[in-house]
């Protein structure tokens, strides 16, 4: 069991405050003479207050300090808003009073993540082993973003809250066989894998605040925009590899894998990618020498396949705003391909 606490603060007080706690547990047990269990869990809790905007954003206080006039000091920047609660206008569109950004803009998010792994190893016979493994990665995120009304760059203000969940699961079974027959050695592996990913995000945007200083989705002076995103993906795989050796001089390696992906159309969702390689350790045939202790010639060829992101097959419409009080949708910018195929990469390598 281990515990780690991390505290981090940015160069400006109150900005990018990170509080992180990690707890990890691992346990192993020999259930029977040839059956072993290995389990581990890692839990991470992140709480971040006031993440700083990207360096090029007008909402980044450090960027505003860099761009302000060298003779300009706090007396010229405070107060950062007038009696009406608005920031004085500026002739420099890229400059925002840093005191406004430090006091009128804030955000926060909480990230909880659990990574777990359970593995069973069983020795069937000498050289023959079976392994079953289940791995999970769950992440839950919630947060908000608030920009008070009256900013020089946005008089209406903004409030946004969001929450998302990501679930990744891997289920794997592998059999391995290692044996030496005189001058020959064999190392064979075969297995299968099921990968499942499920992502969901909900977000509410209030682009016009009704009242200042109220960070809430009910503080809405217009029509709130509510969005929901879902993304699901599954890949089923079978794979295997074999390594043959002779007198620890010559080795031949072969691998093969076939995936079935849910992100490709039914007629193209299966793709196969093999590899083969060989090596010759010629230094074993030479007299022992301190100047030349090891030498090998190798060559290999491999094909690698990969699928696509979810929802790349059919054209869809997305909400883009209101027109005359009615919801307006538009097609996406990229044309989808109903006959989409997997990506393939071929490589050939030789070396000495």
């Amino acid at each position: 069991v281990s515990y780690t606490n991390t505290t981090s603060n940015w160069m400006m007080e109150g900005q990018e405050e990170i509080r992180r706690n990690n707890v990890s547990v691992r346990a192993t047990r020999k259930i029977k003479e040839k059956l072993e269990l290995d389990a581990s869990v890692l839990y991470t809790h992140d709480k971040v207050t006031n993440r700083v905007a990207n360096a090029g954003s007008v909402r980044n206080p450090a960027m505003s300090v860099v761009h302000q006039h060298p003779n300009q000091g706090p007396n010229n920047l405070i107060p950062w808003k007038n009696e009406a609660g608005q920031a004085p206008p500026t002739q420099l569109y890229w400059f925002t009073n840093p005191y406004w950004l430090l006091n009128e803009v804030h955000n926060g998010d909480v990230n909880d993540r659990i990574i777990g792994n359970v593995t069973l190893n069983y020795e069937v016979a000498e050289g023959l082993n079976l392994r079953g493994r289940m791995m999970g990665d769950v992440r839950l995120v919630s947060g908000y973003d608030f920009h008070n009304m009256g900013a020089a760059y946005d008089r209406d203000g903004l409030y946004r809250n969001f929450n998302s969940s990501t679930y990744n699961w891997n289920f794997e079974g592998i059999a391995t066989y290692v044996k030496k027959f005189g001058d020959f050695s064999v190392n064979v592996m075969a297995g299968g894998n099921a990968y499942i990913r499920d992502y969901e995000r909900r977000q509410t945007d209030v682009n016009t605040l009704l009242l200042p200083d109220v960070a809430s989705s009910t503080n809405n002076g217009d029509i709130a925009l509510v969005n929901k995103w879902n993304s699901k993906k599954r890949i089923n795989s079978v794979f295997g590899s074999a390594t043959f050796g002779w007198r620890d001089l010559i080795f031949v390696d072969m691998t093969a894998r076939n995936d079935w992906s849910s992100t490709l159309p039914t007629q193209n969702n299966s793709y196969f990618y093999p590899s083969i390689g060989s090596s010759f350790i010629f230094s074993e045939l030479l007299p022992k020498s301190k100047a030349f202790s090891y030498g090998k010639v190798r060559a290999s060829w491999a094909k690698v396949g990969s699928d696509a992101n979810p929802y790349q097959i059919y054209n869809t419409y997305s909400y883009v705003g209101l027109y005359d009080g009615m919801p307006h949708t538009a097609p996406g910018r990229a044309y989808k391909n109903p006959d989409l195929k997997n990506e393939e990469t071929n490589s050939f390598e030789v070396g000495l």
Side-chain angles (χ1 to χ4, degrees):
V1 179
S2 67
Y3 169 75
T4 305
N5 175 265
T6 304
T7 300
S8 174
N9 297 304
W10 204 52
M11 58 185 177
M12 288 186 172
E13 185 178 357
Q15 302 295 301
E16 202 85 24
E17 294 181 344
I18 300 175
R19 305 293 181 265
R20 177 178 299 140
N21 294 280
N22 293 329
V23 179
S24 63
V25 179
R26 183 181 180 187
T28 60
R29 180 177 177 82
K30 194 169 186 177
I31 301 174
K32 292 185 177 181
E33 183 180 354
K34 296 183 177 182
L35 181 62
E36 294 182 353
L37 172 67
D38 188 343
S40 63
V41 176
L42 171 63
Y43 171 67
T44 302
H45 176 79
D46 271 340
K47 184 177 181 180
V48 182
T49 303
N50 292 332
R51 288 186 186 272
V52 179
N54 294 333
S57 172
V58 295
R59 303 179 183 188
N60 184 306
M63 179 182 174
S64 295
V65 172
V66 171
H67 283 97
Q68 75 182 40
H69 194 278
N71 294 328
Q72 197 173 38
N75 293 334
N76 304 108
L77 300 173
I78 299 176
W80 57 87
K81 59 182 178 181
N82 56 29
E83 295 180 355
Q86 294 188 340
T90 174
Q91 295 179 343
L92 304 176
Y93 72 90
W94 62 81
F95 177 77
T96 302
N97 189 327
Y99 287 98
W100 174 277
L101 297 174
L102 293 173
N103 292 278
E104 307 295 337
V105 176
H106 53 89
N107 62 78
D109 60 81
V110 177
N111 187 330
D112 289 295
R113 187 176 187 182
I114 300 176
I115 301 174
N117 171 51
V118 178
T119 304
L120 279 172
N121 288 293
Y122 180 62
E123 184 182 356
V124 180
E126 184 179 356
L128 178 61
N129 291 274
L130 299 178
R131 185 182 73 190
R133 175 181 293 177
M134 182 183 73
M135 295 167 285
D137 185 350
V138 178
R139 172 177 284 185
L140 305 176
V141 180
S142 61
Y144 78 97
D145 191 10
F146 176 73
H147 298 260
N148 208 1
M149 59 193 306
Y153 58 81
D154 183 7
R155 294 298 189 189
D156 295 329
L158 175 145
Y159 175 79
R160 173 186 299 120
N161 64 39
F162 58 89
N163 58 76
S164 67
S165 61
T166 306
Y167 297 88
N168 289 288
W169 302 101
N170 263 295
F171 303 92
E172 185 177 77
I174 293 177
T176 59
Y177 179 69
V178 180
K179 188 71 174 179
K180 197 161 186 177
F181 305 93
D183 292 335
F184 294 91
S185 61
V186 177
N187 189 332
V188 180
M189 180 272 292
N193 180 275
Y195 169 73
I196 302 171
R197 184 179 189 274
D198 192 348
Y199 171 80
E200 181 178 295
R201 179 182 173 97
R202 298 173 184 266
Q203 180 173 306
T204 301
D205 290 293
V206 174
N207 295 313
T208 301
L209 300 180
L210 182 63
L211 298 171
D213 306 321
V214 179
S216 171
S217 57
T218 60
N219 184 26
N220 183 21
D222 199 349
I223 298 177
L225 178 61
V226 180
N227 279 306
K228 179 182 177 182
W229 296 269
N230 289 93
S231 175
K232 295 185 177 182
K233 179 178 181 177
R234 177 164 184 159
I235 301 176
N236 294 326
S237 309
V238 291
F239 50 86
S241 68
T243 300
F244 304 98
W246 180 72
R247 290 189 175 182
D248 292 331
L249 291 173
I250 301 175
F251 295 91
V252 177
D253 302 291
M254 296 180 291
T255 68
R257 184 182 180 105
N258 200 99
D259 290 345
W260 291 265
S261 173
S262 65
T263 64
L264 299 174
T266 305
Q267 68 273 19
N268 298 327
N269 68 354
S270 174
Y271 49 99
F272 175 74
Y273 43 105
S275 72
I276 186 170
S278 183
S279 60
F280 171 46
I281 305 176
F282 60 85
S283 57
E284 293 294 321
L285 302 178
L286 301 177
K288 298 297 181 180
S289 171
K290 293 183 179 180
F292 188 81
S293 60
Y294 185 81
K296 179 173 73 171
V297 178
R298 56 184 172 81
S300 65
W301 169 84
K303 177 190 285 187
V304 178
S306 62
D307 59 354
N309 291 325
Y311 314 123
Q312 302 300 310
I313 301 176
Y314 302 112
N315 295 306
T316 58
Y317 287 81
S318 300
Y319 175 81
V320 294
L322 295 175
Y323 178 75
D324 197 21
M326 297 295 291
H328 179 54
T329 61
R333 297 181 180 180
Y335 186 79
K336 307 298 177 63
N337 183 3
D339 194 37
L340 187 66
K341 297 181 180 180
N342 66 284
E343 177 184 336
E344 287 187 357
T345 303
N346 289 276
S347 62
F348 177 73
E349 181 181 23
V350 293
L352 173 62

